[in-house]
Amino acid sequence: MRTSFLIDQIKKKQSFLIVGLDTDLDKIPKHLLKEEDPIFAFNKAIIDATQDLCVGYKPNTAFYEAYGLKGWEALEKTINYINETYPEQFTIADAKRGDIGNTSTRYAKAFFEDLNFDSVTVAPYMGKDSVEPFLAFKDKHTIMLALTSNQGAFDFQTQTINGQELYKHVLETSKSYENNDQLMYVVGATKAEYLTDIRAIIPEAFLLVPGVGAQGGSLREVCKYGMTEDIGLLVNSSRGIIYNSQGEDFAIAARNVAQQMQSEMQEILVQNS
Amino acid sequence: MRTSFLIDQIKKKQSFLIVGLDTDLDKIPKHLLKEEDPIFAFNKAIIDATQDLCVGYKPNTAFYEAYGLKGWEALEKTINYINETYPEQFTIADAKRGDIGNTSTRYAKAFFEDLNFDSVTVAPYMGKDSVEPFLAFKDKHTIMLALTSNQGAFDFQTQTINGQELYKHVLETSKSYENNDQLMYVVGATKAEYLTDIRAIIPEAFLLVPGVGAQGGSLREVCKYGMTEDIGLLVNSSRGIIYNSQGEDFAIAARNVAQQMQSEMQEILVQNS
């Protein structure tokens, strides 16, 4: 998907919401467990109920791998369902991959070709030749971890490297990577106060922002410091949206929260326009 | 697997060789492509031909994910075959995972419980709460990326952070993680000159060393600077072993190279004893 198409979708839907599909058999409504593929049944219902309120879906691969073959199959069915039924949705494989060159190419093929995701999250630790193989795929996006929403982010990411925090060094360095116009970055909503500094380094790039809601981040703070003329933000909510009811009404309950978030986003977009 | 058992195996076999199963349908002998599961057929033949010369196997998950469901199935069959037929082998899921706490637990379950690997490689960028969930599994090992064998390692890993290179900061910090006695580290053979400094920080921990052979690292250099009283090294070779013949004799050809490496290892072990 081209970035311009994504921006059009955001403007049309007045939403920059991404729904995270962290589907966990211990947390989905019990009545779904008798379905042939409970993970897919859950995802399909959530997608159908929220698709007009969000611009994308982000399955985290850990939740699927934990169920082995069945999990991988559910992931395939989910991405195929989205691509066939709602091709306007921006899809993110939250996989946090990265390896030496020829091996990263394998991961890129897995997510961009075999599964046909629009984007994949990538860990920066192994540097340029671990990231560029992902960037070689046209109209696909590589979302590098920059400043994550968890406590462990302070272990290394915010440590000072050559006079600059590591995450800034990651942002700066990645600007020299080939096809860097296809880069996006993960920046946790729990660290919104860092967004001014981040925007000084990457004024235009899209940020994927987890941590609003369940993890305590504020949508207004994120938008205040991170929003660009072309919006430049994709705000993800997973648990905060998908696990609001254990009953037959779980999809409606998810829709209600997605609706609240979309309304708040619309308000912000109107104020900023 | 307990570390003491692994050390016994190394002493018994006079080998600290790990065979990397980076199985690629474009590189395996053509006659295998008519098998029902060519990836597994190749792996099984390689394993049967090398198991007395090595102490472990390391499939890199990228190569399996690239083939989607079929790839994941081949990975399952491979690990099950090793665990059932050669339970004394140390198995490494080279997956380079890492995510926020509850999500890392999912990855740990996938590799330690569902697939029953002895160890998994983990990327350090997200810090403590992304690594400790792996360390919570008893008798399982977490192999953190420290200094990788690729060029991109110089982007961030060797940059100076608070007066110390990032990879040293990773080693140092990880020593405070809970159950850190189950930690091992990836250190590329292409950077053997760094091993003295590394051993000053982690004198005892096992190192998984890729990059000998195909990538240009020297086994003798690695042993000179990295070997401990309990050996403390696992040297991996993937392409250097498994792709030596396109003919019916591919497994024998792999055995021949593994045999050479084992002989060289035995020589070093005898010299050092």
Side-chain angles (χ1 to χ4, degrees):
Chain A
M1 181 183 291
R2 296 209 177 152
T3 312
S4 57
F5 183 84
L6 175 60
I7 296 167
D8 287 348
Q9 285 295 308
I10 292 173
K11 290 181 178 167
K12 190 175 141 196
K13 290 179 167 175
Q14 292 285 292
S15 169
F16 42 97
L17 177 64
I18 302 288
V19 175
L21 299 169
D22 295 359
T23 309
D24 179 340
L25 289 179
D26 293 337
K27 288 190 186 155
I28 68 174
K30 296 290 162 280
H31 73 273
L32 290 176
L33 298 178
K34 56 178 188 279
E35 297 281 333
E36 201 195 316
D37 184 340
I39 300 173
F40 177 65
F42 178 81
N43 286 353
K44 183 177 177 299
I46 294 283
I47 293 163
D48 288 339
T50 55
Q51 54 82 27
D52 57 317
L53 302 169
C54 65
V55 292
Y57 292 96
K58 179 179 79 63
N60 185 308
T61 52
F63 289 83
Y64 300 84
E65 290 180 26
Y67 300 112
L69 270 180
K70 273 183 195 298
W72 202 263
E73 203 175 340
L75 179 64
E76 274 198 16
K77 277 153 83 175
T78 301
I79 181 67
N80 289 343
Y81 181 71
I82 299 170
N83 282 336
E84 282 158 22
T85 321
Y86 309 109
E88 72 282 4
Q89 295 286 344
F90 183 69
T91 52
I92 304 168
D94 194 0
K96 302 187 175 71
R97 298 298 199 262
D99 209 308
I100 60 171
N102 67 330
T103 311
S104 267
T105 299
R106 292 270 140 180
Y107 279 129
K109 279 187 187 196
F111 292 108
F112 291 153
E113 286 184 352
D114 188 58
L115 293 172
N116 200 16
F117 274 93
D118 291 313
S119 66
V120 62
T121 57
V122 167
Y125 192 72
M126 293 180 70
K128 178 172 170 147
D129 54 332
S130 73
V131 179
E132 284 188 342
F134 290 94
L135 290 167
F137 288 74
K138 199 170 147 34
D139 291 333
K140 300 288 185 178
H141 301 267
T142 304
I143 310 178
M144 279 177 81
L145 300 184
L147 187 61
T148 56
S149 59
N150 63 324
Q151 187 60 26
F154 299 111
D155 272 9
F156 310 118
Q157 298 168 28
T158 57
Q159 298 291 317
T160 304
I161 199 166
N162 298 335
Q164 191 179 47
E165 289 100 319
L166 175 60
Y167 77 92
K168 290 185 186 169
H169 193 67
V170 165
L171 294 172
E172 199 79 70
T173 304
S174 68
K175 286 163 71 178
S176 68
Y177 292 173
E178 206 169 335
N179 301 317
N180 61 72
D181 56 308
Q182 287 156 240
L183 278 175
M184 299 182 175
Y185 301 91
V186 173
V187 176
T190 48
K191 302 187 175 65
E193 68 273 23
Y194 294 77
L195 279 164
T196 308
D197 285 2
I198 289 170
R199 279 298 178 209
I201 305 171
I202 44 156
E204 305 285 348
F206 260 87
L207 307 180
L208 172 62
V209 184
V212 163
Q215 292 179 55
S218 147
L219 179 63
R220 288 202 173 259
E221 288 290 295
V222 167
C223 293
K224 185 172 167 190
Y225 299 110
M227 194 169 271
T228 68
E229 214 161 291
D230 279 333
I231 295 94
L233 294 173
L234 295 169
V235 168
N236 178 77
S237 180
S238 307
R239 286 169 286 167
I241 289 181
I242 66 178
Y243 297 130
N244 281 294
S245 163
Q246 279 287 317
E248 299 272 350
D249 66 339
F250 71 96
I252 297 165
R255 179 178 175 81
N256 289 342
V257 180
Q259 179 86 73
Q260 284 164 27
M261 290 190 74
Q262 185 275 329
S263 298
E264 206 181 336
M265 287 174 176
Q266 180 157 18
E267 230 171 80
I268 294 168
L269 289 171
V270 168
Q271 283 166 4
N272 284 19
S273 67
Chain B
M1 183 184 291
R2 294 207 180 156
T3 311
S4 57
F5 182 85
L6 175 60
I7 296 167
D8 287 346
Q9 285 295 306
I10 292 174
K11 290 181 176 166
K12 189 175 144 197
K13 291 180 167 173
Q14 292 285 292
S15 169
F16 41 95
L17 177 64
I18 301 290
V19 175
L21 300 170
D22 294 0
T23 308
D24 179 341
L25 288 178
D26 293 337
K27 288 190 184 154
I28 68 174
K30 296 289 162 283
H31 73 273
L32 289 177
L33 298 178
K34 55 178 190 278
E35 298 280 335
E36 203 196 314
D37 184 340
I39 300 173
F40 176 64
F42 178 80
N43 287 352
K44 183 178 177 299
I46 295 284
I47 293 163
D48 288 337
T50 55
Q51 55 82 24
D52 57 319
L53 302 168
C54 66
V55 292
Y57 292 97
K58 179 179 80 63
N60 185 308
T61 52
F63 289 83
Y64 300 84
E65 290 180 24
Y67 300 111
L69 269 182
K70 272 184 195 299
W72 201 262
E73 203 175 342
L75 180 64
E76 275 199 13
K77 277 153 84 174
T78 302
I79 182 67
N80 289 342
Y81 181 70
I82 300 170
N83 282 337
E84 280 157 23
T85 322
Y86 308 110
E88 72 283 4
Q89 295 286 343
F90 184 69
T91 52
I92 304 169
D94 194 0
K96 301 185 175 71
R97 299 297 199 265
D99 208 308
I100 59 170
N102 66 331
T103 311
S104 267
T105 298
R106 292 271 141 181
Y107 279 129
K109 280 188 188 201
F111 292 108
F112 291 152
E113 286 185 353
D114 189 56
L115 293 172
N116 199 15
F117 274 94
D118 291 314
S119 66
V120 62
T121 58
V122 166
Y125 192 72
M126 294 180 69
K128 180 172 170 147
D129 54 331
S130 73
V131 178
E132 285 189 341
F134 290 93
L135 291 167
F137 287 73
K138 199 170 149 31
D139 291 333
K140 300 288 185 178
H141 301 267
T142 305
I143 310 180
M144 278 178 81
L145 300 184
L147 187 60
T148 55
S149 59
N150 63 324
Q151 187 60 27
F154 299 111
D155 272 10
F156 310 118
Q157 297 168 28
T158 58
Q159 298 291 317
T160 303
I161 198 167
N162 298 335
Q164 190 180 45
E165 290 101 317
L166 174 59
Y167 77 91
K168 290 185 187 169
H169 192 66
V170 166
L171 294 172
E172 200 78 72
T173 305
S174 68
K175 285 163 72 180
S176 68
Y177 292 173
E178 204 168 339
N179 302 317
N180 62 73
D181 56 309
Q182 288 155 239
L183 278 175
M184 298 182 176
Y185 302 91
V186 173
V187 175
T190 49
K191 301 187 176 67
E193 69 273 23
Y194 294 77
L195 279 164
T196 308
D197 285 3
I198 289 170
R199 279 299 178 208
I201 305 171
I202 43 154
E204 306 284 349
F206 260 86
L207 307 180
L208 172 64
V209 185
V212 163
Q215 293 178 53
S218 149
L219 179 62
R220 287 200 174 263
E221 288 289 296
V222 167
C223 292
K224 186 173 168 189
Y225 299 110
M227 194 170 272
T228 68
E229 215 162 291
D230 280 332
I231 295 92
L233 294 173
L234 295 169
V235 169
N236 178 75
S237 179
S238 306
R239 287 170 285 165
I241 290 182
I242 66 177
Y243 297 130
N244 282 293
S245 164
Q246 279 287 315
E248 298 271 352
D249 66 338
F250 72 97
I252 296 166
R255 178 177 177 82
N256 289 342
V257 180
Q259 179 86 71
Q260 284 165 29
M261 291 191 73
Q262 184 274 327
S263 297
E264 208 183 331
M265 287 174 176
Q266 182 157 16
E267 233 172 78
I268 294 168
L269 289 171
V270 168
Q271 282 167 7
N272 283 18
S273 68

